[in-house]
């Protein structure tokens, strides 16, 4: 099974360039983040004023910051923070949003209307505003960023799930399943959810990359994870004050964000092309 | 000199050959019918004449129009020709009009574009054109948007656009395929009248031999990108020589083996019916138009009563939106009745629960129209066909399940090995066989077939109708056979019901209803349905009088070759 | 059309009421005693009690909500705890920076995105299209505040063409104020423009495949004329959806970008308020921004109906 999946991925990469590039970039970032759990070149809470603001060298491939911390190590930990925040936020969106959307599509009537009004309401609260409110009460932290971004993801997934389910609900194979005596829950599980899984996966990659951007923004203004945890956003914030003499400090975290988001977007585009049954029919 | 002459047109799209050596010509005032099944290349031929080929299309040969070869015209000249010299009417009136522009703006656009007339004059002329196509401006203001019109009315707008600049040649690509028969008759009559009055050439593209025989002076039959036979309509159909045209002609006239003694409800009052529908009403709430007033509900099914006996084939004909599908869904237990009652083997299909409901589903199964949407694309045929066996869970084991699936597949003319495949590996006709196999697998007593052959080409349609007749005789099935196509219903049913605006207006033995319709609506329906035999007979008579039969012979001796 | 607008307006008011209730619950009910929260853990009992009275916290929550709502409608947002000035004054002063910035960015992104998308769609699959698509792919991935930092570095630090931030105030002349807002607006607009351009391009490409475009071409219209007369307006429909959604991102982006350029806008105000735990200011600003998003959504809905006649009947 695993070998077959791997073979499928390799074939998809050969046929779809965006998917290939996106998958490789994402894999590198995820690997760096996972590696940082067990090993980084230097400990990021290890300050060394003697080594501050060093340029690139064999010892510090990307140099050091104003406290003498190793930039590469911080970028690795920053990747871990970004990915953790964005991933959990996507998880919140899927776990709450998808059932909500399916419920609306399945029941219709006032339940559907309520779900849609709820979506409208939550769309009025961009992640930043939720984060502002939460931080005002509970103080800053990574959890706030996760919750704020996650809340905004709920209506996104609810909409996608609802729209997809409605499109399939009137399809004749769903009617045929009803005539085969299957109940609504069983039909959603057997026929509708597997068919909208593609949409959800693609939306998941999009929200993941938006989550990375949102996390960077929140931690830039100080609403994200707090020191000593490194975040790309805060690295940029600190670098800004030293732009006149150490502009490279503002370069690396930005590039890291761009590469990660670009990778995820390419991956999402590729997945959309690969998973789109319309396109597959044209090929097959 | 012909108005337009296509000589040895070869066409490929992305290097895949689509048309081979296509030649024909159309004279002033002449109608050429181009007939063929889906994928034969007829629409592409029309697009080549307009030089509106899809991306990657490459045409070679010659399309001579007004002494010039269209294939070599520069784009600017083509733009002056399209719409002004050659008008075109498309198949899908629902999508052929721009949804965000008024019909007036869309009709007058041709005039302002080609003649540079003032906006006001263009609007006046647009109003005249609307009048001309049967949409008087008093009832159909130019400010209407396409979504405010019905399909037939939209097609009239498309025709108005196509004839706005009085073109010499009109190309109509399946202009009535998406329309109901009565509307089809009106639109065809309109096109006929316009073409005659303005002495236009007409290229009429259709899959329907009867439509073409009725409309065209000459016919070209197309298969796989080649014209296999061409000639004056009457004599061509009288002496078809190419095996493909012969089989197409036969399929169009095909009637499955009639049963010796039809099952009629009048004759068997004592038999316990499978389905008994009494005074059934089904309403739909309409969206509010005003904040303060509720719209009265739309009655899709209005006090309908009938019975289906065991083994009986009951037809249900009517035009789109008449409520026939709603009725079918109600019998399947998918719609809640607002009034009256339905009894399937003594149970109410909608409110029955648990075992009772499953008993209903076991005895009533369904076949839908769309051979593409009927199956979950992710499931193998085995799982698809076995789905209704969910109703027998706990009663049969895996071995029996597999045996039943194989039996059902064999019954519909597929092989047991097909169960490993996915739906997309099958053609439209084969898919419809799979849908029938799925309906058979619980050994039901009644199959509700909702437009089961409407999406199929004629030759495939004939095969599927044979299959239905065959299964009926072999398994003693009863059918509720729903179709907008009278010939289909006539071919397969014992009794027929005619439905209009939610009501059953006529119900009786099939032959009697169609041969001696009593209700005015039935009469309209029967007279509107194009009839191949009558049309050919009429054409043959004209041709004999005019003495064109001789040319037919010459045409056939050089099939598909261009004239010098 | 009127019924449609009325229905949308009712839904707008309902959303606003619920949204204000959410803000109220989060900031006034969830913390237990907002007074204690504002003053922090070291505050003395009697100071907390005094503030408690001053904020009217002895009243039951629904009463306080009603009073606050009434204040919102009349423009009375209460008094800032830290600045001791009416919040409405504070906010309107700051809005004079944030709002023009957001609008400039919006206008700029539309002005950039539109021609770019049309060029790409007209040259689908060819070099202009692929290069535009690659650029916009990059544009989406760039966080606007980082782009802003780069702009500051290039134009202020390296080239010394403009000051690196700050805002002279509108009293110093419109020209100077606009100049101060130009770099931030560009930084905000480019990622937005990338998204808009991509959406509009794909909408145009989809629309160009529609049957009515073929009808228009069969009428004799050139490719160009068919695109402008028939494709663009239809393609605007999906673009409006994105434009509405993007506005909330734009608001968030504006607030963040103000920090890069040290602009005295709403963003700076709210972050200061957070550090000083001035819940009254936080509450007002959040409600104001939420209301802006909701109202913009309302106008997008109206624009839908203006573009698409099929919606007017609903």
């Amino acid at each position: 099974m695993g070998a077959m999946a791997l073979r499928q991925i390799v074939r998809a990469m050969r046929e779809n360039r965006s998917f290939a590039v996106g998958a490789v970039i994402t894999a590198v970032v995820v690997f760096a983040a996972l590696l940082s759990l067990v090993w980084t070149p230097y400990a990021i809470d290890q300050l060394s004023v003697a080594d501050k603001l060093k340029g690139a060298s064999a010892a510090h491939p990307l140099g050091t910051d104003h406290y003498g911390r190793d930039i590469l190590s911080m970028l690795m930990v920053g990747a871990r923070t970004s990915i953790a925040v964005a991933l959990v936020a996507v998880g919140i969106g899927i776990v709450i949003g998808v059932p909500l959307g399916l419920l609306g599509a399945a029941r219709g009537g006032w339940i559907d209307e309520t779900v849609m009004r709820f979506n409208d309401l939550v769309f009025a609260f961009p992640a930043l505003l939720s984060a502002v409110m939460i931080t005002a009460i509970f103080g800053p932290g990574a959890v706030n960023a996760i919750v704020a971004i996650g809340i905004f993801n709920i209506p996104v997934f609810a909409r996608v799930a609802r729209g997809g389910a409605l499109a399939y609900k009137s399809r004749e194979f769903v009617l045929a399943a009803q005539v085969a005596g299957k109940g609504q829950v069983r039909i959603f599980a057997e026929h509708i959810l597997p068919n909208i899984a593609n949409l959800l996966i693609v939306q998941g990659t999009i929200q993941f990359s938006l989550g990375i951007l949102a996390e960077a923004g929140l931690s830039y203004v100080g609403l994200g994870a707090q020191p000593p945890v490194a975040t790309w956003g805060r690295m940029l914030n600190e670098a800004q004050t030293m732009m006149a003499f150490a502009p490279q400090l503002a370069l690396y975290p930005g590039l890291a964000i761009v590469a990660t988001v670009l990778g995820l977007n390419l991956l999402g585009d590729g997945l959309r092309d690969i998973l789109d049954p319309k396109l597959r029919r044209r090929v097959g | 000199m012909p108005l337009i002459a296509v000589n040895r047109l070869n066409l490929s799209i992305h290097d895949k050959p689509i048309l081979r050596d296509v030649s024909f010509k159309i004279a002033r005032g002449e109608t050429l019918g181009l007939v063929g099944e889906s994928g034969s290349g007829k629409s592409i031929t029309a697009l080549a004449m307009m030089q509106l080929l899809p991306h990657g299309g490459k045409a070679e040969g010659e399309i001579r129009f007004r002494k010039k070869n269209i294939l070599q015209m520069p784009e600017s000249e083509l733009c002056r020709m399209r719409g002004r010299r050659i008008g075109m009417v498309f198949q899908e009136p629902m999508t052929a009009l721009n949804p965000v522009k008024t019909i007036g703006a869309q009709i007058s656009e041709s005039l302002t574009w080609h003649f540079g007339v003032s906006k006001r004059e263009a609007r006046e002329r647009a109003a005249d054109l609307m009048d001309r196509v049967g949409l008087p401006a008093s009832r159909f203001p130019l400010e209407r948007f396409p979504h405010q019109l019905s399909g037939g009315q939209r097609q009239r707008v498309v025709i108005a656009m196509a004839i706005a600049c009085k073109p010499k040649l009109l190309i109509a690509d399946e202009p009535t395929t998406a329309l109901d028969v009565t509307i089809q008759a009106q639109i065809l009559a309109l096109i006929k009248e316009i073409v005659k009055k303005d002495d236009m050439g007409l290229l009429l593209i259709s899959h329907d031999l009867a439509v073409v025989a009725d409309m065209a002076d000459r016919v070209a039959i197309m298969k796989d990108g080649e014209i296999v036979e061409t000639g004056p309509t009457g004599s061509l159909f009288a002496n078809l020589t190419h095996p493909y045209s012969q089989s197409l002609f036969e399929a169009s006239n095909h009637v499955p083996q009639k049963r010796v003694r039809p099952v009629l409800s009048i004759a068997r009052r004592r038999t316990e019916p499978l389905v008994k529908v009494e005074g059934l009403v089904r309403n739909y709430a309409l969206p509010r138009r005003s904040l303060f007033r509720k719209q009265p509900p739309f009655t899709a099914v209005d006090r309908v009563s009938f019975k289906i006996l065991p083994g009986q084939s009951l037809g249900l004909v009517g035009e789109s939106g008449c409520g026939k599908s709603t009725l079918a869904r109600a019998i399947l237990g998918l719609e809640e009745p607002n009034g009256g009652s339905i009894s399937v083997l003594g149970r109410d299909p909608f409110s029955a629960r648990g075992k009772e409901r499953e008993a209903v589903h076991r005895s009533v199964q369904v076949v839908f129209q769309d051979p593409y949407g009927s199956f979950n694309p992710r499931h193998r045929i085995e799982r698809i066909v076995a789905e209704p066996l969910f109703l027998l869970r706990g009663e049969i084991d895996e071995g029996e399940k597999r045996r039943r699936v194989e039996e059902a597949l064999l019954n519909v003319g597929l092989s047991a090995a097909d169960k490993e495949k996915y739906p997309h590996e099958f053609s439209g006709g084969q898919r419809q066989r799979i849908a029938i196999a799925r309906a058979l697998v619980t050994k039901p007593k009644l199959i509700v077939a909702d437009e089961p052959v409407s999406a199929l080409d004629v030759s495939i349609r004939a095969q599927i109708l044979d299959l239905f007749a065959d299964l009926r005789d072999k398994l003693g099935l009863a059918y509720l056979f729903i179709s907008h196509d009278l010939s289909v219903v006539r071919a397969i049913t014992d009794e027929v019901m005619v439905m209009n605006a939610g009501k059953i207006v006529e119900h009786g033995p099939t032959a009697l209803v169609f041969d001696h319709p009593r209700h005015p609506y039935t009469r309209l329906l029967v007279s509107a349905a194009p009839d191949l035999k009558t049309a050919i007979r009429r054409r043959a008579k004209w041709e004999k009088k005019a003495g064109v039969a001789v040319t037919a012979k010459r045409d056939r001796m050089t099939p598909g070759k261009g004239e010098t | 059309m009127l019924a449609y607008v009325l229905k949308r307006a009712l839904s707008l008011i309902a959303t606003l009421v619920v949204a204000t209730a959410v803000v109220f619950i989060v900031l006034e009910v969830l913390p237990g005693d907002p007074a204690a929260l504002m003053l922090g853990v070291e505050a003395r009992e009697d100071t907390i009690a005094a503030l408690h009275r001053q904020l009217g916290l002895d009243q039951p929550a629904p009463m306080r909500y009603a009073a606050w709502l009434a204040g919102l409608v009349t423009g009375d947002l209460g008094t800032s705890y830290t600045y001791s000035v009416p919040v409405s004054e504070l906010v309107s002063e700051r809005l004079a920076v944030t709002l023009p910035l957001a609008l400039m960015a919006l206008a700029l992104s539309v002005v950039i995105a539109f021609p770019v998308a049309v060029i790409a769609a007209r040259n689908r699959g060819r070099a202009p299209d692929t290069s535009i698509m690659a650029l916009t792919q990059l544009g989406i991935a760039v966080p606007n505040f980082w782009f802003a930092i780069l702009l500051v570095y290039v134009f202020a630090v390296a080239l010394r063409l403009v000051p690196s931030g700050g805002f002279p105030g509108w009293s110093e002349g419109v020209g100077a104020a606009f100049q101060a807002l130009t770099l931030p607006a560009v930084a905000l607009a480019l990622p937005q423009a990338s998204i808009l351009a991509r959406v509009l391009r794909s909408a145009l490409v989809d629309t160009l495949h529609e049957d009515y475009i073929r009808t228009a071409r069969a009428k004799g219209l050139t490719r160009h004329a068919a695109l402008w007369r028939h494709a663009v307006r239809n393609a605007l429909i999906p673009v409006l959806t994105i434009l509405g959604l993007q506005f909330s991102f734009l608001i968030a982006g504006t607030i963040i970008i103000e920090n890069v350029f040290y602009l005295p806008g709403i963003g700076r105000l709210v972050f200061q308020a957070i550090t000083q735990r001035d819940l009254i200011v936080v509450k007002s600003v959040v409600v104001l921004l939420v209301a802006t998003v909701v109202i913009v959504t309302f106008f997008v809905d109206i624009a839908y109906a203006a573009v698409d006649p099929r919606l007017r009947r609903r």
Side-chain angles (χ1 to χ4, degrees):
Chain A
M1 198 68 197
M4 216 178 86
L6 194 70
R7 217 174 306 148
Q8 267 183 336
I9 291 173
V10 169
R11 211 190 60 195
M13 285 177 70
R14 210 172 293 148
E15 284 169 6
N16 189 315
R17 226 174 46 198
S18 338
F19 178 78
V21 175
V24 167
I25 296 177
T26 309
V28 168
V29 178
V30 169
F31 176 74
L34 288 177
L35 185 64
S36 78
L37 286 171
V38 291
W39 177 81
T40 48
Y42 296 86
I44 56 156
D45 47 7
Q46 178 192 314
L47 312 183
S48 160
V49 186
D51 289 328
K52 75 171 185 182
L53 296 174
K54 284 260 172 74
S57 66
H60 298 282
L62 300 178
T64 59
D65 73 354
H66 53 299
Y67 292 126
R69 292 175 294 190
D70 179 49
I71 298 287
L72 180 63
S73 306
M74 290 188 66
L75 284 182
M76 285 170 68
V77 177
R80 186 216 295 166
T81 318
S82 280
I83 288 176
V85 169
L87 206 58
V88 179
V90 168
I92 291 175
I94 289 178
V95 167
I96 303 177
V98 172
L100 262 183
L102 293 182
L103 181 76
R107 292 284 147 169
W110 68 267
I111 294 184
D112 190 28
E113 193 65 23
T114 312
V115 168
M116 290 204 302
R117 290 291 82 82
F118 170 79
N119 284 353
D120 288 352
L121 178 71
V122 181
F123 269 131
F125 288 88
L128 184 81
L129 289 188
S130 304
V132 162
M133 288 204 292
I134 298 169
T135 310
I137 305 297
F138 300 106
V143 177
N144 297 352
I146 291 176
V147 172
I149 301 169
I151 286 176
F152 198 75
N153 279 342
I154 293 172
V156 172
F157 283 100
R159 246 187 215 194
V160 172
R162 177 179 174 276
L166 282 181
Y168 278 103
K169 203 184 157 192
S170 54
R171 291 281 285 272
E172 290 178 338
F173 67 77
V174 171
L175 298 181
Q178 280 176 277
V179 176
K182 293 187 172 170
Q184 204 166 32
V185 174
R186 188 180 287 271
I187 288 175
F188 266 74
E190 280 183 21
H191 288 292
I192 293 180
L193 203 53
N195 274 299
I196 64 170
N198 289 347
L199 289 176
L200 294 175
I201 290 170
V202 171
Q203 195 63 46
T205 29
I206 296 172
Q207 293 313 115
F208 192 11
S209 81
L210 286 175
I212 301 269
L213 279 177
E215 191 278 335
L218 289 178
S219 55
Y220 172 76
V221 291
L223 301 182
Q226 295 301 301
V229 179
T231 65
W232 292 338
R234 210 182 40 256
M235 287 171 78
L236 282 174
N237 189 329
E238 289 168 3
Q240 207 190 331
T241 52
M242 295 169 284
M243 210 136 59
F245 48 94
Q248 78 278 6
L249 291 185
L251 199 64
Y252 301 128
L255 287 177
I257 298 170
V258 171
T260 310
V261 174
L262 191 65
L264 283 169
N265 285 344
L266 289 174
L267 187 68
D269 284 0
L271 278 175
R272 185 183 356 233
D273 291 349
I274 291 168
L275 298 175
D276 188 348
K278 254 189 298 180
L279 287 171
R280 202 165 26 181
R281 198 183 301 151
R282 232 175 278 157
V283 174
Chain B
M1 198 187 81
L3 179 63
I4 192 163
V6 176
N7 281 323
R8 299 187 147 247
L9 176 66
N10 282 282
L11 192 145
S12 62
I13 295 176
H14 290 300
D15 297 325
K16 188 179 165 224
I18 305 289
L19 298 180
R20 265 188 305 276
D21 265 344
V22 170
S23 303
F24 58 83
K25 53 191 169 37
I26 303 171
R28 267 199 104 132
E30 183 187 44
T31 295
L32 175 72
L34 187 57
V35 194
E37 295 187 293
S38 52
S40 61
K42 16 184 231 307
S43 291
I44 284 291
T45 307
L47 292 176
M49 293 166 74
M50 293 293 263
Q51 278 297 290
L52 287 176
L53 290 171
H55 193 67
K58 240 177 77 185
E60 281 163 24
E62 187 190 44
I63 302 176
R64 188 156 287 277
F65 179 68
R66 290 162 60 90
K67 296 185 187 157
K68 279 192 179 157
N69 185 357
I70 289 178
L71 299 184
Q72 274 150 19
M73 273 189 200
E75 180 65 24
S76 57
E77 202 175 341
L78 285 169
C79 285
R80 282 197 296 276
M81 175 201 79
R82 293 186 199 119
R84 181 167 177 181
R85 310 282 180 208
I86 304 181
M88 187 154 178
V89 177
F90 298 97
Q91 172 174 359
E92 266 302 331
M94 302 317 260
T95 53
L97 294 170
N98 187 340
V100 304
K101 289 195 150 198
T102 63
I103 51 175
Q106 294 188 59
I107 296 175
S108 49
E109 185 174 31
S110 313
L111 298 163
T112 48
W113 178 259
H114 284 294
F115 302 135
V117 299
S118 72
K119 277 225 164 111
R120 234 189 74 209
E121 195 190 334
R123 281 182 64 83
E124 275 165 23
R125 283 217 239 164
D128 291 344
L129 281 161
M130 294 273 289
D131 218 36
R132 179 84 205 276
V133 297
L135 301 174
S138 53
R139 279 174 52 220
F140 298 93
L142 295 173
E143 289 75 28
R144 289 265 174 106
F145 285 98
H147 72 275
Q148 295 166 313
L149 302 179
S150 71
Q153 290 163 349
R154 290 188 208 193
Q155 198 63 311
R156 287 172 190 269
V157 173
V158 174
I159 292 172
M161 280 163 50
I163 61 166
C165 300
K166 294 195 186 299
K168 292 281 169 287
L169 176 69
L170 191 65
I171 300 175
D173 184 2
E174 303 267 11
T176 56
T177 305
L179 303 174
D180 283 322
V181 268
T182 52
I183 311 295
Q184 160 165 299
Q186 295 169 13
I187 296 289
L188 290 178
L190 174 69
I191 293 178
K192 211 186 241 175
E193 184 260 334
I194 287 172
V195 166
K196 192 171 177 197
K197 185 147 176 272
D198 289 357
D199 203 24
M200 280 181 199
L202 170 67
L203 175 64
L204 177 73
I205 295 173
S206 180
H207 68 283
D208 190 334
L209 291 188
V211 166
V212 167
D214 179 49
M215 295 281 293
D217 305 311
R218 297 175 354 108
V219 170
I221 298 172
M222 200 163 201
K223 180 182 189 277
D224 298 335
E226 284 180 272
I227 291 183
V228 296
E229 204 157 356
T230 177
T233 311
S235 37
L236 179 77
F237 281 125
N239 319 284
L240 288 168
T241 54
H242 195 280
Y244 173 73
S245 2
Q246 285 167 347
S247 71
L248 189 67
F249 186 76
E250 264 154 39
S252 300
N253 283 308
H254 183 80
V255 176
Q257 188 77 48
K258 271 266 158 53
R259 89 145 115 208
V260 194
R261 207 182 292 154
V263 182
L264 301 177
S265 28
I266 313 139
R268 305 191 191 177
R269 287 183 188 282
R270 298 268 173 81
T271 320
E272 188 57 34
L274 283 176
V275 173
K276 206 163 136 195
V277 175
E278 274 176 3
L280 181 70
V281 177
R282 170 70 189 157
N283 295 325
Y284 287 113
L286 287 181
R288 282 165 184 244
R289 287 216 175 150
S290 135
L291 276 181
F292 310 105
R293 226 188 6 239
K294 230 181 174 171
Q295 285 268 104
F298 170 73
T299 305
V301 176
D302 191 1
R303 285 163 291 168
V304 164
S305 306
F306 62 90
K307 286 184 286 195
I308 304 176
L309 300 180
Q312 185 181 44
S313 287
L314 179 62
L316 178 59
V317 289
E319 298 185 291
S320 54
C322 74
K324 49 191 197 303
S325 289
T326 309
L327 179 55
R329 289 163 51 92
I331 291 170
L332 292 166
L334 303 178
E335 296 263 351
E336 184 177 13
N338 297 96
S341 68
I342 305 175
S343 145
V344 176
L345 297 168
R347 301 171 180 94
D348 173 3
F350 185 80
S351 54
R353 286 287 170 271
K355 285 283 154 211
E356 289 287 293
R357 191 180 173 101
E358 293 191 347
V360 171
H361 288 321
R362 270 165 87 150
S363 49
V364 183
Q365 281 290 315
V366 63
V367 175
F368 294 108
Q369 168 178 4
D370 180 9
Y372 294 90
S374 290
F375 314 116
N376 188 333
R378 299 169 177 279
H379 291 175
R380 285 180 203 274
I381 300 307
E382 175 163 30
R383 186 162 175 198
I384 287 168
V385 173
E387 182 157 50
L389 293 178
F390 176 74
L391 295 161
L392 278 67
R393 63 193 181 281
E395 288 175 36
I396 58 171
D397 58 13
E398 283 300 312
E400 169 69 8
K401 210 166 146 183
R402 203 166 310 125
R403 210 188 53 72
R404 286 241 197 161
V405 169
E406 284 171 10
E407 186 190 340
L409 286 173
L410 290 176
N411 264 329
V412 298
L414 295 169
S415 77
D418 286 331
K419 65 184 188 198
E420 300 299 329
K421 296 184 184 162
Y422 284 96
H424 69 258
E425 297 174 57
F426 293 92
S427 69
Q430 287 171 320
R431 288 184 204 208
Q432 221 47 340
R433 289 177 190 269
I434 296 167
I436 297 171
R438 172 172 61 189
L440 289 177
V441 79
T442 58
K443 304 197 159 81
K445 297 195 166 57
L446 169 69
I447 288 182
V448 175
D450 191 354
E451 303 271 11
V453 295
S454 303
L456 305 176
D457 277 325
V458 266
S459 51
I460 310 295
R461 171 182 302 194
Q463 293 167 14
I464 298 294
L465 283 178
D466 279 344
L467 176 63
F468 271 110
D470 191 37
L471 292 171
R472 171 193 67 193
D473 296 341
K474 206 162 91 187
L475 307 174
L477 286 170
Y479 293 133
L480 176 61
F481 210 96
I482 301 169
S483 183
H484 69 283
D485 186 334
L486 302 192
S487 65
V488 166
V489 171
R490 184 165 197 160
I492 194 102
T493 60
D494 304 317
E495 275 184 26
V496 68
M497 300 189 289
V498 180
M499 196 168 188
N500 183 29
K503 290 195 173 75
I504 303 288
V505 297
E506 193 160 352
H507 181 175
T510 305
L512 189 70
V513 170
F514 286 154
D515 291 338
H516 306 284
R518 287 213 307 266
H519 192 276
Y521 179 73
T522 316
R523 262 181 242 151
L524 180 71
L525 214 54
V526 169
S527 68
D531 184 62
L532 183 55
K533 281 181 187 150
T534 340
I536 291 175
R537 227 176 294 139
R538 204 172 50 227
R539 284 281 165 196
K541 217 185 274 171
W542 287 346
E543 283 166 19
K544 210 170 169 189
K545 228 189 267 173
V548 282
V550 194
T551 27
K553 215 169 175 185
R554 198 187 60 201
D555 261 20
R556 256 201 318 285
M557 278 159 70
T558 54
K561 294 277 147 44
E563 306 260 337
T564 42
Chain C
M1 184 74 187
L2 187 68
Y4 176 84
V5 174
L6 276 175
K7 203 179 157 192
R8 288 283 118 203
L10 279 182
S11 141
L12 163 83
I13 291 165
T15 313
L16 279 179
V17 170
V18 181
T20 50
V22 169
V23 174
F24 182 82
I25 290 170
V26 171
L27 291 180
E28 287 231 4
V29 181
L30 278 190
D33 187 352
L37 185 78
M38 285 167 78
L39 292 170
V41 273
E42 311 93 69
R44 283 179 21 211
E45 284 289 321
D46 53 332
T47 355
I48 293 178
L51 182 66
H52 200 89
R53 259 193 314 282
Q54 192 196 325
L55 295 176
L57 290 174
D58 30 14
Q59 302 255 1
M63 296 282 289
R64 269 155 44 212
Y65 174 65
W68 179 57
L69 210 54
L72 279 179
V73 175
T74 54
D76 174 15
L77 303 176
T79 310
S80 160
Y81 175 69
T82 40
Y83 296 91
S84 304
V85 286
V87 176
S88 52
E89 247 172 59
L90 265 180
V91 166
S92 55
E93 200 177 286
R94 304 302 186 100
L95 263 185
V97 178
T98 303
L99 207 58
L101 176 56
L103 291 178
M104 264 174 83
L106 187 66
L108 204 57
S109 63
V110 172
V111 167
I112 297 171
F114 204 86
V116 163
V118 171
I119 291 170
R122 287 193 57 184
N123 296 288
R124 189 166 53 94
R126 293 199 293 269
D129 182 33
T130 43
S131 45
I132 283 172
M133 289 309 276
L135 267 178
T136 52
Q137 184 71 267
L138 192 66
I140 292 178
V142 174
N144 46 26
F145 63 90
W146 183 57
F147 186 50
I149 293 173
L150 293 184
L151 287 179
V152 169
Y153 179 72
V154 171
F155 290 99
V157 180
L159 300 176
R160 297 185 179 281
L161 286 174
V162 289
S164 65
F167 187 70
W170 291 100
S171 53
E172 297 295 304
V174 176
F178 267 117
Q179 205 195 344
L181 294 182
T182 303
L183 273 194
V186 169
L188 276 172
L190 274 192
Q192 297 276 329
S194 300
I195 295 175
L196 270 185
R198 289 179 78 85
V199 173
L200 181 57
R201 177 223 172 244
S202 72
L204 275 173
V205 167
D206 286 351
T207 315
L208 286 172
H209 278 125
E210 291 284 346
D211 283 357
Y212 52 78
I213 296 296
R214 198 181 54 189
T215 310
R217 297 273 286 139
K219 255 189 225 177
L221 265 62
T222 57
R223 222 177 273 278
H224 187 77
L227 180 108
W228 283 105
R229 293 182 181 204
H230 292 275
V232 167
R233 200 160 141 198
N234 280 288
L236 278 183
I237 297 168
V239 172
L240 277 175
T241 316
I242 298 296
L243 207 59
L245 271 182
Q246 285 304 307
F247 190 78
S248 67
F249 288 109
L250 190 68
I251 291 270
T254 312
I255 288 176
I256 293 177
I257 278 239
E258 284 170 3
N259 278 18
V260 181
F261 293 92
Y262 306 102
L263 295 174
I266 289 283
R268 305 274 292 162
L269 176 68
V270 79
F271 291 125
Q272 281 157 4
I274 288 176
T275 33
Q276 290 152 353
R277 306 199 161 195
D278 191 341
L279 284 190
I280 301 167
V281 171
V282 171
K283 195 168 66 175
S284 305
V285 169
V286 168
V287 153
L288 198 78
L289 296 180
V290 167
T292 318
V293 173
V294 174
I295 291 169
V296 166
T297 314
F298 167 74
F299 282 114
V300 166
D301 281 348
I302 303 297
Y304 264 135
V307 171
D308 188 349
R310 286 165 294 185
L311 286 174
R312 288 174 208 166
R313 271 291 171 96
R314 278 200 211 141

